[in-house]
């Protein structure tokens, strides 16, 4: 098919040309004397994006899933209890990982389309007077449903209940796109991945540990080797890694951090909000609804859109791909066939979103969904033009 594929899945995201160029480097000696000149400022600037001064940043040659495991195995011991709310495929997978490595999991199912229920969390933490819960796991942005939870609110609940548990946040599809404040919210481990807001290929798990989490790592009894932060702490101190790093990803990360910091994080968040709002206007004009049930849950990085009864969302996705070369995100697990997802994060502008909406609109019409041609794109155009 002529022209480029429109990649509108919520990760991997489009990679800006300057990052592609930065990654296009010959292989180099990762033990060279000048290698720390690349590594040390990277770890320093990564902390700016995570909004932490007191925490310690890590870069693992892995993905977000490893980030979940790094958080848990470096701070906890087999049998420890963790608390998690399940409201989408990614909160489910983190819970499943915790269970499979031998943690005791206390979890509650929440309607897919809602986020972390702060009132229920407060009751649960209050009831845990012996402080058996050692960590609260919070999925900041549930990519499967397009729901963003209130992490500042989670911290407040932990504070008012005087609960000493560690707070771990999955920011894989929020960090670098949606406001995230590690220090202000007293997050103990922040987990991110390279292929979303950081606009890189998959293959980098970026994290930060608070001082409290670093202290917990001294007594954590999970066996660990490849994912052990101690080996990174020892090597990173001198600007190196305990094993061969992916140097193209490191060069790409350098450019990614430059782009985000030059634009300014608040401007990055505002851009994502505005682009997301245009997509939401289109959804409304089509007469369709989001999986996120209330505006307070709306995600600025991904919209999961429900198709009408009797329509299989997978047909919309296949039509968009096969006829229009537009890649939309599939519905996962409980919402498979019920939703399709438009990712609006990373290197995007108004016209990128209009491309996604145009392809989607044609696919919706082809699948027999009763919408007015141009209605969604028109609503987004109106919104973008009036808010330039
Ligand atoms: C919120 C969230 N957490 C974790 C993951 C897992 O990351 P990875 O696929 O990089 O292992 C994803 C992937 O999409 C995600 O969206």
């Amino acid at each position: 098919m002529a022209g480029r594929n429109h990649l509108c899945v919520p990760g991997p995201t489009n990679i800006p040309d300057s990052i592609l160029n930065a990654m296009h480097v010959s292989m180099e000696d990762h033990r060279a004397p000048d290698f720390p000149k690349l590594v040390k400022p990277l770890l320093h600037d990564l902390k700016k994006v995570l909004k932490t001064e007191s925490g310690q940043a890590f870069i693992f040659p892995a993905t977000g899933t490893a980030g979940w495991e790094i958080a848990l195995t470096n701070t906890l011991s087999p049998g420890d209890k963790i608390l998690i709310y399940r409201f989408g495929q990614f909160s489910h997978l983190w819970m499943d990982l915790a269970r499979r490595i031998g943690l005791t999991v206390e979890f509650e199912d929440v309607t897919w389309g809602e986020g972390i229920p702060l009132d229920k969390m407060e009751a649960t933490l209050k009831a845990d007077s012996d402080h058996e819960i050692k960590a609260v796991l919070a999925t900041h942005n549930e990519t499967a449903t397009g729901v963003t939870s209130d992490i500042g609110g989670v911290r407040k609940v932990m504070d008012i209940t005087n609960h000493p548990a560690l707070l771990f946040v999955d920011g894989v599809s929020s960090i670098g796109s949606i406001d995230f404040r590690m220090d202000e919210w007293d997050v103990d481990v922040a987990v991110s991945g390279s292929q979303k807001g950081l606009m890189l290929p998959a293959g980098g798990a970026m994290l930060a540990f608070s001082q409290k989490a670093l202290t917990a790592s001294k007594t954590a009894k999970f066996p660990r080797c490849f994912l052990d932060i101690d080996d990174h702490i020892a090597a990173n101190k001198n600007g190196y890694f305990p094993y061969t790093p992916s140097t193209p990803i490191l060069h790409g990360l350098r450019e990614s951090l430059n782009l985000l910091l030059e634009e300014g994080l608040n401007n990055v968040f505002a851009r994502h909000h505005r682009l997301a709002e245009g997509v939401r206007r289109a959804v409304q004009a089509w007469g369709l609804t989001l999986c996120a049930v209330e505006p307070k849950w709306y995600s600025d990085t991904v919209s999961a859109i429900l198709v009408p009864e009797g329509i299989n969302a997978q047909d919309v996705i296949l039509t968009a791909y096969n006829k229009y070369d537009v890649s939309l995100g599939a519905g996962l697990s409980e919402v498979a066939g019920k939703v399709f997802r438009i990712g609006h994060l990373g290197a995007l502008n108004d016209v990128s979103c209009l491309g996604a909406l145009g392809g989607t609109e044609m696919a919706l019409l082809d699948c027999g969904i009763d919408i007015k041609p141009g209605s969604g794109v028109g609503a987004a155009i109106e919104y973008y033009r009036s808010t330039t």
Side-chain angles (χ1 to χ4, degrees), residues 10-12 62-68 89-91 93-94 139-144 170-174 191-196 202-205 332 341:
T63 73
T65 303
W68 288 334
Q89 180 65 356
F90 294 99
S91 39
L93 288 174
W94 200 6
T139 304
H140 188 192
N141 189 74
E142 176 49 81
T143 323
D170 171 348
V172 171
S173 60
S174 62
V191 177
S192 185
S194 51
Q195 76 275 24
K196 310 243 180 202
L332 302 171
R341 294 175 297 151

Side-chain angles (χ1 to χ4, degrees), residues 78 110 180 193 200 211 220 273 276 302 372:
V110 174
F180 177 81
L200 295 164
Q211 292 303 320
H273 176 71
V302 52
K372 191 161 164 271

Side-chain angles (χ1 to χ4, degrees), residues 203-236:
M206 285 72 174
L207 296 98
F209 275 54
S210 70
Q211 292 303 320
K212 185 174 163 191
L214 291 171
T215 304
S217 77
K218 305 273 179 273
T219 48
K221 294 201 174 52
F222 268 113
R224 50 192 190 267
C225 172
F226 182 65
L227 302 181
D228 196 336
I229 57 165
D230 276 352
D231 297 332
H232 279 251
I233 291 171
N236 286 172

Side-chain angles (χ1 to χ4, degrees), residues 13 21 34 37 44 73 79 87 96 99 103-104 115 146 153 159 167 192 216 237 250 259 291 307 332 340 360 366 381:
T13 62
N21 291 334
D34 56 351
K37 282 197 196 141
H44 180 262
T73 56
F87 42 84
D96 183 54
R99 184 175 277 161
L103 288 162
T104 304
D159 285 348
L167 171 59
S192 185
K237 191 162 52 138
L250 298 181
L259 291 176
C291 181
V307 293
L332 302 171
F340 64 90
T360 304
D366 292 347
I381 285 175

